[in-house]
Amino acid sequence: MVLASITFAAVHAGECIPRISDGWVRLPPVEMPMMAGFGRIENDCATAATIVGVRSGAFGDVSLHETTVVDGVSRMRALPRLDIAAGASATLQPGGLHLMLMQPVRPLAEGEAVPVEFLLEGGGVVSGSFEVRGPGG
């Protein structure tokens, strides 16, 4: 398993920021203009962190989504923000919280790394490298 790499920008030296681990992107079984991304966002900081956006140069549009089951029907909705308490984490996984990666700028190949940036409230950025995996994950 490839772990996500971490960098940050627009954050003062020594300031605590969340980190991304186990990031991966699932290729669809047939070519489609959308993919999903998964992983873990860990906030080991003493204060809460809020993600207010997501971007990647590999896609025309990236957003956080959540899938829930209501009365036996699966529903997906965009999340404008994701609060992560101090010392807590958020897991991006199939059937739950995940990234919607729309309009890839080029075909992706299994095994390559895709950069993804999570925008923090207050101006910080947490960057991760997400491994591209086949349709079976």
Side-chain angles (χ1 to χ4, degrees), residues 73-87:
V73 178
S74 181
R75 300 176 191 263
M76 186 171 52
R77 68 180 179 102
L79 296 179
R81 60 188 289 126
L82 175 63
D83 297 314
I84 306 173

Side-chain angles (χ1 to χ4, degrees), residues 9-25:
V11 175
H12 295 93
E15 187 175 336
C16 186
I17 62 168
R19 60 189 169 90
I20 310 301
S21 62
D22 301 323
W24 62 284
V25 172

Side-chain angles (χ1 to χ4, degrees), residues 18-77:
R19 60 189 169 90
I20 310 301
S21 62
D22 301 323
W24 62 284
V25 172
R26 178 187 289 160
L27 288 174
V30 296
E31 191 170 327
M32 297 177 69
M34 70 182 110
M35 296 176 202
F38 310 104
R40 189 171 170 85
I41 307 165
E42 300 174 11
N43 183 17
D44 295 330
C45 303
T47 59
T50 300
I51 295 170
V52 294
V54 189
R55 66 184 176 207
S56 173
F59 297 91
D61 184 53
V62 180
S63 57
L64 276 167
H65 278 71
E66 181 177 42
T67 301
T68 56
V69 177
V70 178
D71 296 325
V73 178
S74 181
R75 300 176 191 263
M76 186 171 52
R77 68 180 179 102

